[in-house]
Amino acid sequence: MTIQDIQTVKDLLAEQPVISIIPHKNPDGDAVGSCLGLYHYLKQLGCNATVVAPNDFPNFLKWMPAATDILIYDNEPEKATAQIEASTLIFTLDFNSLKRADTLTPLLEASVATFVMIDHHEAPEEYAKVTFSQPEASSTCEMVYVFIEAMGGALQIGAEIATCLYTGIMTDTGNFKYQSTHSNTYRVAAALIDRGANNSEINGKVYDTNSFDRLQLLSASLQNMVFLKEYHAAYITLTAEELQRFNFRKGDTEGFVNYGLTIEGSKLAAIFIQEGNFVKISLRSKGNVDVNMLAREHFKGGGHINAAGGRYDGTIEQAVALFREVIPAFLSQYI
């Protein structure tokens, strides 16, 4: 974040633009938290801002301040389309390729608005006038905090902004346990607590509000787990039938993949979830095992060194077969 970039954003906001704030498809805690944190800040500046999401987000995030203000394309496509078409300034948060916006991608690609990107994923595309890219950051929420500070807005961070940003940092660091959690992450989290984020309450709302069906689904996923001891890798499968049996709701499988990493000796974990005619894949790892590379090379995805995702167009059996085929050579680099 250069002084010139910050001044450019200030000049853009001085033009009183119509602003849209966009998260990626299937918004997680960091995407929702960063968008809402920025939304509250821009509202305090008197800006005309709206968060527009491609699709819905998990119920365990819907308590967040102003979450009900988010315009969801899947629910109101005409209204969301009109909002983006009217926008003269668009912030894209927690993604750096317009393809990650899914149903919103054609609208964003056709837009004549000025773009500002704030994101912590690797290899950003060059579509924004101002790009804040910091792959080493714990989360986009941490970056939004730094952005607001650089804009001179630190004193404007109250309980609403602090709550949104703390939630995103907490979820994207796995409750502050992932390797991406640096000393500055704790300093930012402490500052947000000082500004009104109730860390205990936030933790409870995100992690301690399970439905009985979700716990049953977790039980089924653990029964399906396979541990490839010789390769230090574990994977979980969940079929469409299993999701239906346990009344799956968006966000119910959040964190399931991490159980594979708790096995002694495990260095890589994956979960394969059948969604229609494709398989959604989440990958997690320890140390220097680069699942971002694995996702990019074999599963049309990407992410971070220790956390990535992708997809496979086909059946869950085919996706697992490919995983088992490529894992020996992939992990031989690290073991």
Side-chain angles (χ1 to χ4, degrees):
M1 259 178 237
T2 66
I3 295 174
Q4 183 178 353
D5 286 337
I6 291 298
Q7 188 57 53
T8 297
V9 176
K10 288 181 177 180
D11 292 342
L12 290 169
L13 295 180
E15 297 173 2
Q16 297 184 319
V18 176
I19 302 171
S20 286
I21 306 170
I22 314 293
H24 54 73
K25 181 187 178 182
N26 297 325
D28 57 8
D30 192 28
V32 176
S34 58
C35 286
L36 287 177
L38 180 62
Y39 168 80
H40 286 295
Y41 172 65
L42 294 176
K43 284 293 191 180
Q44 286 187 31
L45 296 182
C47 297
N48 177 2
T50 303
V51 180
V52 184
N55 61 344
D56 205 357
F57 52 97
N59 285 336
F60 63 79
L61 298 173
K62 292 187 175 179
W63 57 269
M64 295 171 68
T68 55
D69 291 348
I70 295 176
L71 181 57
I72 299 172
Y73 178 86
D74 278 0
N75 297 346
E76 300 180 272
E78 293 181 1
K79 191 174 180 180
T81 298
Q83 168 63 32
I84 292 176
E85 289 178 344
S87 296
T88 52
L89 178 60
I90 295 176
F91 286 84
T92 61
L93 269 59
D94 203 35
F95 68 100
N96 57 23
S97 168
L98 293 182
K99 291 182 175 60
R100 292 280 285 119
D102 195 55
T103 49
L104 296 183
T105 299
L107 293 170
L108 297 176
E109 290 178 337
S111 174
V112 296
T114 300
F115 282 78
V116 175
M117 177 205 302
I118 305 178
D119 178 66
H120 71 133
H121 296 86
E122 296 181 0
E125 293 183 351
E126 297 181 359
Y127 61 80
K129 181 172 185 177
V130 177
T131 296
F132 298 139
S133 176
Q134 193 177 2
E136 67 274 16
S138 72
S139 57
T140 300
C141 279
E142 182 178 330
M143 294 182 66
V144 170
Y145 175 86
V146 174
F147 167 73
I148 293 174
E149 269 199 325
M151 290 284 290
L155 294 179
Q156 292 173 262
I157 297 178
E160 290 183 328
I161 295 176
T163 296
C164 294
L165 298 185
Y166 185 94
T167 302
I169 293 171
M170 180 189 73
T171 54
D172 235 38
T173 59
N175 226 346
F176 301 94
K177 71 180 180 182
Y178 294 160
Q179 196 170 356
S180 61
T181 309
H182 304 294
S183 58
N184 191 60
T185 309
Y186 288 105
R187 282 189 282 269
V188 171
L192 293 173
I193 292 172
D194 289 342
R195 291 289 180 179
N198 187 325
N199 56 310
S200 177
E201 183 176 295
I202 293 170
N203 192 290
K205 287 181 176 179
V206 171
Y207 295 116
D208 298 333
T209 54
N210 292 309
S211 67
F212 181 73
D213 282 330
R214 180 177 188 269
L215 293 180
Q216 294 294 99
L217 182 62
L218 173 60
S219 175
S221 72
L222 294 178
Q223 291 182 55
N224 292 348
M225 183 183 290
V226 174
F227 183 47
L228 305 174
K229 188 175 182 179
E230 64 274 34
Y231 302 122
H232 305 272
Y235 66 88
I236 291 169
T237 57
L238 282 172
T239 66
E241 186 278 327
E242 286 170 320
L243 296 180
Q244 183 178 17
R245 189 194 324 160
F246 298 111
N247 302 309
F248 170 78
R249 295 184 300 176
K250 185 174 291 294
D252 276 355
T253 57
E254 187 80 19
F256 284 13
V257 64
N258 295 320
Y259 283 91
L261 285 184
T262 67
I263 300 172
E264 184 177 0
S266 177
K267 295 183 181 295
L268 185 150
I271 187 169
F272 300 85
I273 303 172
Q274 188 79 53
E275 293 190 2
N277 60 354
F278 73 95
V279 180
K280 179 183 174 183
I281 303 162
S282 292
L283 301 162
R284 298 293 184 269
S285 67
K286 293 178 181 177
N288 65 340
V289 178
D290 189 353
V291 290
N292 173 52
M293 183 186 301
L294 179 65
R296 285 178 177 275
E297 291 183 354
H298 300 288
F299 296 108
K300 302 178 182 179
H304 307 283
I305 289 177
N306 298 125
R311 63 179 285 162
Y312 180 89
D313 295 319
T315 68
I316 203 164
E317 292 81 10
Q318 291 169 328
V320 169
L322 176 60
F323 177 77
R324 296 189 64 143
E325 177 185 332
V326 301
I327 277 299
F330 172 75
L331 283 177
S332 66
Q333 307 169 69
Y334 307 102
I335 298 171

